[in-house]
Amino acid sequence: MAPPIQRSDEEPIDDIVARASSGDDDAWRELVDRYARRVGAMIVGRTGDPELAEELTQSVFVTVAEHVMNGRYQEQGRFESWLFRIAMNRLRDDRRRRRRVTESIQNDSLVQDAPDHTSLPSNEQLRDALNTLSDADREVISLRHHAQLDFKAIAQLLDAPLGTVLARHHRALHKLRTAMNEAHA
């Protein structure tokens, strides 16, 4: 995989990670400044919840710090894809945890007759359209448009052929357009 595009005035990410591993606070600030907004945007795009995104983004960077500081970071040259793999795993873990909680609440007879307050407002057409996509399609859309990863990085992150990722992205965009047009009709 080609390294992420880097401005000529930016320090290479592997150098920043090396400084961070030795406890350099400026290096940690640089890592967070470079990636926190993109990680958060990807999570907000997947969850629609800015507060949850902030919580999970912080959790992602705690994991990154633990691995880097304890010498468990072994991804030289692939920091960005490693970071977003951690973020996607954290998102999946949180979704599983919330699903278990929701299932236990729904099994509670006192709640079964309660009205459903989880439906989205009608002015959330894009979110509605995104929800019509499969998890795999939403994942590609989120990694591409929220996390701003290139297709090669997405392919590496998902351990999928580049052609598969490109086709999935194209198909997902088509499904989104169709869903948005149907909602508008």
Side-chain angles (χ1 to χ4, degrees), residues 43-56:
I43 296 172
V44 167
R46 295 296 304 265
T47 65
D49 186 342
E51 290 178 12
L52 175 61
E54 184 176 339
E55 177 185 325
L56 293 178

Side-chain angles (χ1 to χ4, degrees), residues 3 14-16 26 36 40-41 51 60 74 76 78 85 88 97 108 120 128 141-142 156-157 159-160 169:
D14 284 339
D15 294 350
I16 296 170
D26 290 335
E51 290 178 12
V60 165
Q74 304 295 320
Q76 274 65 27
R78 299 182 316 206
R85 188 169 46 251
M88 292 304 293
R97 182 183 60 79
D108 182 346
L120 298 172
D128 289 342
I141 293 292
S142 183
Q156 181 182 19
L157 179 66
D159 194 28
H169 181 260

Side-chain angles (χ1 to χ4, degrees), residues 3-143:
I5 297 174
Q6 177 178 315
R7 293 189 338 232
S8 60
D9 62 336
E10 285 185 340
E11 180 179 4
I13 196 65
D14 284 339
D15 294 350
I16 296 170
V17 173
R19 288 191 303 112
S21 70
S22 66
D24 183 330
D25 288 341
D26 290 335
W28 283 112
R29 271 190 284 286
E30 178 70 21
L31 284 174
V32 171
D33 287 347
R34 279 196 192 187
Y35 292 105
R37 188 167 15 140
R38 289 173 54 200
V39 169
M42 183 204 56
I43 296 172
V44 167
R46 295 296 304 265
T47 65
D49 186 342
E51 290 178 12
L52 175 61
E54 184 176 339
E55 177 185 325
L56 293 178
T57 299
Q58 290 173 2
S59 176
V60 165
F61 280 94
V62 167
T63 299
V64 167
E66 288 171 348
H67 280 75
V68 169
M69 295 298 291
N70 293 330
R72 293 184 308 185
Y73 171 71
Q74 304 295 320
E75 304 288 325
Q76 274 65 27
R78 299 182 316 206
F79 178 80
E80 190 171 275
S81 60
W82 176 71
L83 171 69
F84 282 100
R85 188 169 46 251
I86 292 170
M88 292 304 293
N89 288 341
R90 191 61 37 86
L91 189 56
R92 285 184 194 109
D93 292 345
D94 184 73
R95 184 176 293 138
R96 275 189 226 110
R97 182 183 60 79
R98 288 176 188 278
R99 194 174 303 142
R100 282 192 303 269
V101 169
T102 301
E103 287 170 359
S104 70
I105 289 173
Q106 289 172 343
N107 291 335
D108 182 346
S109 62
L110 296 175
V111 180
Q112 286 181 354
D113 297 327
D116 180 14
H117 295 290
T118 62
S119 62
L120 298 172
S122 61
N123 64 351
E124 297 280 341
Q125 290 179 351
L126 180 57
R127 184 149 327 277
D128 289 342
L130 282 167
N131 287 333
T132 66
L133 300 178
S134 68
D135 283 343
D137 287 345
R138 271 197 316 268
E139 186 171 56
V140 169
I141 293 292
S142 183
L143 289 170

